[in-house]
Amino acid sequence: MKILSMYPWTHISSSSLVINGKLVASSPEERFNREKLSTAFPILSANWCLKSQNLKWEDLDYIVIPWNPLHHINTASLRWVSSMRWRGEMLSHIPTWISRSLNDESKLKNKKVPEEMSVQFGKTKLIYLNHHLSHAASAIYASPFKRADILSIDGRGETETTFIGQFDKNKITQNKNVDYPHSVGLFYGAITDFLGFRPDSDEWKVMALYSYAKKINQYDKKFEKLVRFKKDGFEIDLTYFHYFLFDAKPRFFTKKLEELLGPSRSKGSNITKRHYEIAGAMQRTFEKLVLHLLSITKKCGTNSGNLVLAGGAAMNCVFNGHLQNKSLYKNIFIPPWPDDSGVSIGAALYLNNKLKKNCKRYPLRHSFFGPGFSDKEIKTTLDKYKLNHFKPKNIYKYVANEIANKKLVGWFQDKMEIGHRALGHRSILADPRNKFSKDLVNHAVKYRESFRPFGPSVLEEHSSDIFSMKKDLKIEFMEKITYVKEDWVNKIPAVTHVDNSARVHTVSKKINPKFYNLINEFYQLTGVPVLLNTSFNLNGEPIVCTVEDAIRTFNCCGLDLLILGNFVIKK
């Protein structure tokens, strides 16, 4: 069974292809059109998914969309479909009228909107699924769990902002929900906006600021006025916010929030102690909210000790690290794509498992589902542009030595990662021992705020020696923070944040052999089994996808070397 999933026009567009229950190709549209967080219709990524498996559109059994328009149609304004501009609009207008008739509000008291709708033209079957159901599926079907509790939190789906459920006997069941406009994700986004950053994009900047204000301060008490905890969820005091009026107000918050917290920060202005303290209070309030939702999730869950997290809120690596050290759940799985970049994956996996009973599952071990390039293809591109290059006898030893000599390296290998984290296939690398490496990368390549940390990639067998984590804990997707042990803080200052935290990436020889070999050579040379690893892109651009992208980025910044497969380009 061949299922293509496409997710357009929201936070980040993407396409994914599942064949017989196995994810074989996936990519956000941004990697192809080179527009950061692109919301364009994902035709480029969809065409690549098909091409990667030598398929044509007519070969597909299903196309699935992780958004269910039925939720909007049943309350649609009459002016939207009162007349047709052209006859092709019958495709949308007729289902809209029929849906409204079936779901008249007077009949909806005890009825739910169906979780899916379908359209068929010729052999092509188009299925629309609920957004949060797709989030849940993107986590649970990638996990190793046969039974688990599920919590999905984001800005909003069709009508929901929070999905509380469980997975048992290969079935996802929703137990509770929180409806829009009461939203954890948009609450965090509003404070991101208040602090002068871009909501739905820069929330991790607030997370970085939190580390400078970890002690409870005056704003923690003030934040208590913004949220009310309830038995089955929470409510946001909407008098402080405008985020639910997207196209009517320029900011996500009201004057009332400024009366409570003081004036908002202007973009680009200095960050003061007050801004750090507000960020700290926001993160602590976020963690209280999510822990409250987790307690609800567990009470009505499977009692399995297993949890999967999904939705954009599961990108909060600070909370994820703190949760790991609590006793609420024994086993926790967070995929590398918990935000909207992963819902196309979830929708395809959900539909496959619904249509094929007892189908084989493929627990996730890596995120390398994007385009890949062989040495032959790389060599063809290098020759095409007449670029000087060479091939060292041992690429790993050569690059490790260059990094140890304070060189900044662009590292481009095999298939591209999916998700927002670079995991050793599209990475910028530097020496973690050099306290100036962070500034070098910022000034030469990333051009981003100095308070934002860079993450360490570490050989997995050495991770518990350097970081405060259990020996058997693997952090394969850089999805949570931990803390650098005291005797290592001064050894790897470039990847140690102000509070000694680090967003760790454990590297396995079996799963990621090339990156492992490079770090191991650096370890043999320096005694440090760690490299500074950040995504291979310029500020404001998506991670590089193709050989051409890597070459252009290399020539537009201060990187010293570019490694393309086994080839080296030097400046």
Side-chain angles (χ1 to χ4, degrees), residues 263-283:
S264 60
R265 174 179 171 266
S266 300
K267 182 180 179 180
S269 64
N270 291 334
I271 297 174
T272 67
K273 180 183 177 183
R274 182 173 74 90
H275 300 131
Y276 289 122
E277 289 181 342
I278 291 171
M282 175 68 254
Q283 179 65 27

Side-chain angles (χ1 to χ4, degrees), residues 458-467 469 471 485 488 506-507 516 519-520 523-524 527-530:
V458 58
L459 300 181
E460 65 176 6
E461 63 267 30
H462 294 283
S463 58
S464 61
D465 299 327
I466 301 169
F467 303 100
M469 53 190 287
K471 281 191 174 183
K485 289 186 175 180
W488 275 88
T506 56
V507 181
Y516 180 96
I519 301 174
N520 191 49
Y523 173 49
Q524 300 303 319
V528 175
V530 178

Side-chain angles (χ1 to χ4, degrees), residues 98-146:
I98 294 172
S99 176
R100 181 183 290 112
S101 299
L102 290 171
N103 296 307
D104 185 271
E105 287 189 345
S106 64
K107 304 173 186 175
L108 264 178
K109 292 180 180 178
N110 297 309
K111 288 178 63 178
K112 283 187 175 182
V113 174
E115 70 179 24
E116 66 180 66
M117 66 171 288
S118 61
V119 177
Q120 183 168 348
F121 33 96
K123 293 182 179 180
T124 303
K125 299 172 185 175
L126 186 61
I127 308 290
Y128 296 84
L129 292 177
N130 282 357
H131 184 71
H132 269 286
L133 181 63
S134 301
H135 267 310
S138 77
I140 191 61
Y141 288 120
S143 80
F145 305 142
K146 293 182 179 179

